[in-house]
């Protein structure tokens, strides 16, 4: 059975659609703070790591948040992403083959 490869045109169209949709993303200015006390990369890393526990806690207590606002912006977001994916297990669990 011959597998058909996706055409290059489809890949370019998908990439163009992804770039176009990402251009619509924005961050509210009130959510970003440059003060020294605002959470930065390391706090984002920690908040990403404890995300599963914070999410469960937020279901029962409205004072628990899973994401700090205001924060320092992109670096906090990057730390949060790394905390959720890398420290939280990420794709390691799905990479193990079932035998």
């Amino acid at each position: 059975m011959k597998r058909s490869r996706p055409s290059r045109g489809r890949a370019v169209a998908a990439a163009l659609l992804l770039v176009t949709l990402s251009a619509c993303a924005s961050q509210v200015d009130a959510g970003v703070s440059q003060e020294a006390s605002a959470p930065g990369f390391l706090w984002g890393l920690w908040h990403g790591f404890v995300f599963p526990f914070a999410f469960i806690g937020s279901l029962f207590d409205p004072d628990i948040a899973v994401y700090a606002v205001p924060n320092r912006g992109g670096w906090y977001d990057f730390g949060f992403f790394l905390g959720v994916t890398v420290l939280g297990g990420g794709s390691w669990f799905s990479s193990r083959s079932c035998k």
Side-chain angles (χ1 to χ4, degrees), residues 45-71:
L45 194 65
W46 174 251
H47 291 160
F49 181 67
V50 299
F51 169 76
F53 308 107
F55 175 70
I56 292 170
S58 72
L59 295 175
F60 302 103
D61 186 357
D63 293 331
I64 297 176
V66 296
Y67 189 82
V69 176
N71 57 52

